[in-house]
Amino acid sequence: MAKRTISADPATTKAYEHARTQDITTIWERHEAMQPICAFGDLGLCCTICYMGPCRIDPFSKEDIRGACGAGRDTISARNYTRAVAAGTAAHSDHARGICHTLLEAASGSAPDYKVIDIEKLKTIGAELGLKTEDVSYADLALQLGKRLLENFGKSEGTVDFVKRAPKGQQDKWEAAGVIPRAVDREVVECMHRTHEGVDADPKSLILQAIRCALADGWGGSMMATELQDILFGSPKPIRSKVNLGVLKEGCVNVVVHGHEPVLSEMLAIAAREKEIIDYAKSKGAEGLTLSGICCTANEILMRQGYPVAGNFLQQELAISTGAVDAMIVDVQCVMPGLAQIAEHFHTHLVTTSDKARIPGVNHFDFHEEKALDCARELLKDAADSFAKRDKSLVDIPQESMDLVAGFTAENTFHHLGGTFRGTYRPLNDAIMSGRLRGVVGVVGCNNVKINHDHNHKVMVEELLKNDVLVVQTGCSALACAKAGWLRPEAASEMAGKGLQEICEAVGIPPVLHMGSCVDNSRILIACCEMVKEGGIGEDISQLPVAAAAPEAMSEKAVAIGLYAVGSGITTFYTPAPRVLGAPAVLDYLTNSMEQDFGAHWVFEDNPLTAARGIIEHLDKKRAALKLDPMMYNPDVARSA
Ligand code: MSK
């Protein structure tokens, strides 16, 4: 049988082939068994909202076909899209709510293992929100802040606090369109209400509510999660580490964390360095204990603690199929239920830890924040016990691992560009104005089984780097480029255009800056605000030579992120398109007319090279509008993926 091309990453290909030789079924086989996928659903034309249907609209029909209630294709698609945005917003925001509670517990002393680490950030945000910062203890200030931010979920008056961080031009556009988010939960609830049978049938009105909800994610839930995690666990600083399946060690107890929330994983990160735990692992015959991660829980402990990353979304099952994972400890989001079937082939102790996310047949661990470190120690000891049951004949770890530097934030990244003593975005703006940098692009998001794993991320980012575009990344996209070696400072001289190379070499940074997990896309919004504030390259975000891309998007969270990026004035290149292709009016608004209201639009382009060239063209148009010098296009790109 011909071998399948499933990944642009050699380690993933090897691990997949090893899984197949053991007759292990993974996401690729399950996805194939689903073919042909339902075209009505894929185009957004299947309505399951009431119980008279499901109704579906023939996309090829010239007639104005309606569902039983009279909803047409645009109404059905806009409702489905709005619900996807609500779900994505809910996921990020519920994460933020959890961190608010952890901060309150830490401040009140009921969760003594958590401390306020970044006191400066606590004070800065306290002052920004008008809290009492003088003559109060840090604990009191943290209590005030936790309570204030919790109000952002359900307050009945006012707006989400952090929307005031946006440049005035952006806020004016939101005001004119009537989309300033009021409270996070309110926007999610209103999306669900409006999309209920017999409520809002106007596609534009639905999409505007989806935008208001997405802005509540980007400038609300996600931004709160990032800020509070920095306060509780420390703001990241540039840090070296490694990535890919080769970080698993044959002789060690291998513990892999997976999901999104750092509340437990930060404790695992502390416990994994304790002598008691290492000695316990050794008492079971191991050389030591290795903690690594998958997806964004991995990104969290990478950014702050420098722990290695085993892989991104499509590598989660393959990590277990190496036979060397003794425990996989999962929390919320992006955790495939299929892990349970893979773990059955091995000794791997798969364990769920969030009350919100259980998997049938999988052990659930009751994690309590009041005794968080003890919980972490217990989980690591369980993993060491599991190591003793490992079948060594089943172990096959791909040897590939790559060095990386992560830990960039909106605050520290451009301090680097300004030198040690100048915390300013001036050098970045100057570099753009002088033409050493063409612009800045956030390439973020998931893997998707419909797309050759990591391929689109690599093709797109390589083209951008060659053309003097500084790339900032989060999520699984950052991990794709990390595996390719582009998060090493040396990558600048190996592949970046001359201007970008000079800048990176002068300050010793990689040409691709890893800014964290999915909620940390809010760091990119803040960086854009700082660029506007610094002056010279636009009065609001929509005038900056910036863009965003999610070239292998998968989750509803990605749909929400894409929409808050566009709603915030950042034109976004997104693949595969969300389920709006069967709805001409919705598609036209998102990819065209949205520009008039928000200064940005979506681009749905499946070919990553074409998309990258579209991004470059977009940056060049923004530069021309700012009367900046045109830059040469460098088509001489050696394909690596
Ligand atoms: S983990 S949401 S697959 S980026 Fe944040 Fe990766 Fe997408 Fe999950």
Side-chain angles (χ1 to χ4, degrees):
M1 198 172 73
K3 282 186 180 168
R4 296 179 67 178
T5 304
I6 55 119
S7 177
D9 167 44
T12 302
T13 305
K14 280 184 203 165
Y16 172 72
E17 283 164 5
H18 176 62
R20 294 306 296 144
T21 58
Q22 298 174 83
D23 268 341
I24 291 173
T25 298
T26 64
I27 188 170
W28 286 276
E29 289 67 50
R30 293 192 299 270
H31 180 249
E32 197 166 78
M34 288 293 114
Q35 303 306 310
I37 54 170
C38 172
F40 296 104
D42 204 28
L43 295 171
L45 299 179
C46 176
C47 181
T48 60
I49 279 174
C50 83
Y51 290 82
M52 297 189 285
C55 294
R56 54 188 202 171
I57 310 290
D58 177 355
F60 301 109
S61 172
K62 299 270 180 287
E63 288 170 38
D64 182 15
I65 299 175
R66 302 283 173 140
C69 72
R73 61 192 79 214
D74 284 302
T75 300
I76 291 172
S77 175
R79 284 177 172 168
N80 289 335
Y81 179 79
T82 300
R83 285 194 166 200
V85 172
T89 301
H92 288 142
S93 304
D94 213 30
H95 170 161
R97 189 195 326 266
I99 298 289
C100 270
H101 284 296
T102 309
L103 181 74
L104 288 172
E105 285 172 29
S108 66
S110 60
D113 295 329
Y114 298 97
K115 307 264 176 309
V116 170
I117 305 273
D118 192 339
I119 288 164
E120 277 316 302
K121 193 164 215 178
L122 172 69
K123 290 199 278 192
T124 305
I125 296 178
E128 177 189 347
L129 298 181
L131 306 180
K132 182 172 165 43
T133 55
E134 297 298 322
D135 303 322
V136 288
S137 66
Y138 302 141
D140 280 347
L141 182 52
L143 274 176
Q144 289 183 65
L145 180 63
K147 285 180 188 157
R148 170 65 175 265
L149 291 185
L150 262 187
E151 286 171 8
N152 277 263
F153 290 92
K155 61 183 169 185
S156 49
E157 287 178 2
T159 64
V160 166
D161 277 318
F162 289 146
V163 295
K164 296 183 187 72
R165 289 178 164 185
K168 185 171 179 309
Q170 233 64 48
Q171 293 190 50
D172 289 347
K173 287 188 175 80
W174 296 341
E175 176 94 55
V179 299
I180 297 186
R182 298 154 295 182
V184 178
D185 291 352
R186 179 172 181 182
E187 303 312 347
V188 173
V189 167
E190 191 162 319
C191 283
M192 298 310 286
H193 179 195
R194 285 188 190 219
T195 57
H196 185 274
E197 171 277 323
V199 188
D200 198 349
D202 178 353
K204 170 100 183 263
S205 159
L206 284 160
I207 296 298
L208 287 176
Q209 174 54 25
I211 292 168
R212 179 155 57 180
C213 185
L215 294 173
D217 177 350
W219 299 86
S222 285
M223 201 169 277
M224 285 192 270
T226 297
E227 301 288 36
L228 291 177
Q229 286 168 185
D230 284 355
I231 288 170
L232 262 181
F233 306 124
S235 292
K237 296 187 179 57
I239 194 162
R240 287 187 180 275
S241 192
K242 284 190 180 289
V243 62
N244 218 340
L245 293 167
V247 306
L248 302 171
K249 294 285 165 262
E250 193 159 353
C252 289
V253 175
N254 289 302
V255 181
V256 176
V257 292
H258 174 24
H260 279 77
E261 295 185 349
V263 175
L264 169 58
S265 60
E266 281 288 329
M267 295 296 116
L268 291 165
I270 295 170
R273 288 175 174 145
E274 289 179 343
K275 184 171 181 308
E276 174 198 342
I277 296 299
I278 295 166
D279 287 348
Y280 189 83
K282 287 182 178 167
S283 76
K284 300 291 168 181
E287 291 161 16
L289 185 140
T290 304
L291 180 67
S292 63
I294 298 274
C295 282
C296 283
T297 306
N299 282 323
E300 298 285 3
I301 58 170
L302 164 71
M303 291 282 286
R304 297 190 179 85
Q305 310 286 349
Y307 275 98
V309 178
N312 51 6
F313 176 72
L314 281 179
Q315 291 178 288
Q316 58 187 282
E317 292 177 295
L318 301 178
I320 294 183
S321 76
T322 63
V325 174
D326 302 299
M328 183 176 275
I329 300 167
V330 304
D331 52 86
V332 293
Q333 303 166 23
C334 303
V335 177
M336 294 200 260
L339 290 174
Q341 282 79 57
I342 308 275
E344 277 171 12
H345 287 264
F346 301 94
H347 70 299
T348 307
H349 184 204
L350 177 64
V351 51
T352 56
T353 58
S354 167
D355 266 350
K356 295 170 194 162
R358 299 185 186 225
I359 301 174
V362 170
N363 283 336
H364 183 76
F365 181 88
D366 249 338
F367 172 60
H368 294 288
E369 290 179 17
E370 313 85 72
K371 44 179 186 155
L373 252 180
D374 283 342
C375 287
R377 292 181 188 117
E378 192 180 331
L379 283 163
L380 294 180
K381 285 183 178 173
D382 282 351
D385 294 341
S386 170
F387 172 85
K389 296 178 208 148
R390 193 193 284 178
D391 180 346
K392 293 198 176 90
S393 71
L394 296 180
V395 174
D396 187 359
I397 307 172
Q399 289 311 298
E400 286 84 351
S401 74
M402 179 58 76
D403 292 331
L404 67 92
V405 178
F408 295 95
T409 65
E411 292 87 353
N412 74 28
T413 297
F414 301 105
H415 287 210
H416 286 274
L417 292 176
T420 317
F421 303 108
R422 282 194 302 145
T424 164
Y425 274 59
R426 194 69 254 153
L428 175 72
N429 287 21
D430 283 348
I432 291 172
M433 290 168 76
S434 68
R436 282 191 298 157
L437 278 186
R438 183 174 240 115
V440 184
V441 174
V443 183
V444 306
C446 321
N447 301 133
N448 185 322
V449 69
K450 289 177 171 177
I451 296 165
N452 185 18
H453 170 240
D454 288 350
H455 171 84
N456 285 7
H457 296 296
K458 291 168 74 175
V459 170
M460 178 178 279
V461 169
E462 185 175 15
E463 181 77 0
L464 295 177
L465 296 181
K466 274 274 198 275
N467 283 284
D468 295 303
V469 177
L470 180 67
V471 175
V472 294
Q473 293 208 279
T474 60
C476 292
S477 184
L479 301 176
C481 292
K483 285 180 272 174
W486 303 342
L487 273 62
R488 295 170 304 128
E490 305 86 290
S493 58
E494 293 163 6
M495 60 188 302
K498 200 163 168 290
L500 175 59
Q501 190 177 326
E502 276 171 20
I503 288 165
C504 293
E505 286 176 349
V507 284
I509 56 170
V512 176
L513 302 178
H514 189 345
M515 297 186 87
S517 66
C518 293
V519 292
D520 293 336
N521 284 310
S522 61
R523 297 192 197 278
I524 300 175
L525 293 179
I526 302 289
C528 288
C529 295
E530 294 296 330
M531 289 163 76
V532 172
K533 240 188 255 166
E534 194 63 53
I537 51 172
E539 297 298 315
D540 73 19
I541 297 174
S542 68
Q543 293 174 10
L544 296 172
V546 300
E552 300 181 24
M554 172 278 298
S555 71
E556 290 166 312
K557 291 178 293 171
V559 180
I561 293 168
L563 191 57
Y564 76 61
V566 182
S568 301
I570 305 170
T571 288
T572 298
F573 292 69
Y574 193 95
T575 305
R579 298 195 173 112
V580 297
L581 295 184
V586 175
L587 185 62
D588 178 69
Y589 184 70
L590 294 177
T591 58
N592 183 20
S593 322
M594 208 174 154
E595 179 80 35
Q596 276 109 62
D597 293 338
F598 296 94
H601 60 278
W602 293 77
V603 180
F604 304 133
E605 169 54 61
D606 285 345
N607 182 316
L609 192 54
T610 310
R613 290 177 181 163
I615 291 171
I616 290 165
E617 207 175 297
H618 169 78
L619 298 179
D620 288 348
K621 272 193 202 143
K622 294 287 172 189
R623 292 182 63 84
L626 292 165
K627 304 204 176 352
L628 301 177
D629 287 341
M631 293 179 67
M632 293 287 289
Y633 171 64
N634 175 11
D636 179 27
V637 174
R639 295 265 67 81
S640 70

